[in-house]
Amino acid sequence: MENTLNICRMQIRFDEDTCRYLDALSDHPLGDSYIFSKVFVSFDDFDAFLKDETIDLTEEFIAKTEELYDKAFFEEHNLVAMFSDERSGSNRLTLKEIETEGDVIKLQIGRERGLTMDMAYLFLFYATDGKEILTSEARIEDLPVELW
């Protein structure tokens, strides 16, 4: 698999219930730059996550996502799903580092801050090579701002 993130911007109703739900489901507790991350090992579990009413995803988003990560995908790969609520829609996220320890994957994401004042809700997906990865940690680190 490529060493890349698939980033999907979407509309979502993000409130305290959504935050509690994601925190409870996350492989690693949220906070201290850790974002929601969860390894899905089967299509059925991923489908149940996408269709959970707590996160209230659009049918269009669910259909497009399940087209990318279908049952055939899960026969050979696991999927790390991450979520970040960005304070600026012009923030740019890039995968900086990947580390594995046993069945754990640790993803370090770099954030280049944008200057707009619009919120962006982003799902980030990382496809694993094989089925060995079962849990995850994902962190976002602000990169230094380069002024002209």
Side-chain angles (χ1 to χ4, degrees):
M1 300 294 320
E2 292 183 36
N3 185 6
T4 60
L5 289 176
N6 180 10
I7 301 175
C8 303
R9 178 188 298 252
M10 62 143 330
Q11 298 261 318
I12 187 174
R13 173 188 45 83
F14 191 74
D15 57 18
E16 289 179 11
D17 289 339
T18 307
C19 187
R20 279 192 293 274
Y21 171 75
L22 292 175
D23 190 31
L25 188 63
S26 185
D27 289 337
H28 191 281
L30 307 182
D32 294 331
S33 75
Y34 284 95
I35 62 171
F36 167 81
S37 67
K38 172 81 176 153
V39 175
F40 289 94
V41 300
S42 74
F43 177 81
D44 292 337
D45 287 344
F46 186 55
D47 178 61
F49 168 73
L50 292 174
K51 293 178 179 171
D52 191 291
E53 292 179 7
T54 309
I55 53 175
D56 195 27
L57 300 172
T58 66
E59 289 181 23
E60 180 184 15
F61 178 82
I62 293 169
K64 286 182 179 180
T65 305
E66 289 185 337
E67 186 178 306
L68 288 172
Y69 307 110
D70 59 9
K71 288 184 181 188
F73 168 86
F74 282 98
E75 289 175 9
E76 297 185 21
H77 309 281
N78 289 342
L79 183 67
V80 183
M82 295 161 277
F83 177 80
S84 181
D85 57 328
E86 293 296 313
R87 302 295 178 226
S88 172
S90 61
N91 287 355
R92 289 187 295 183
L93 303 180
T94 54
L95 186 56
K96 295 310 227 182
E97 186 177 326
I98 303 168
E99 182 181 328
T100 57
E101 292 179 9
D103 65 355
V104 179
I105 190 166
K106 297 178 181 184
L107 301 164
Q108 182 70 40
I109 300 163
R111 175 191 292 130
E112 292 179 57
R113 291 259 181 212
L115 299 175
T116 60
M117 299 301 287
D118 56 326
M119 293 284 298
Y121 297 108
L122 305 176
F123 273 97
L124 303 91
F125 299 104
Y126 180 80
T128 67
D129 285 329
K131 302 288 289 176
E132 295 80 27
I133 298 299
L134 302 176
T135 191
S136 63
E137 295 177 11
R139 294 180 64 135
I140 290 185
E141 171 185 292
D142 286 325
L143 299 174
V145 176
E146 292 184 29
L147 299 176
W148 58 97

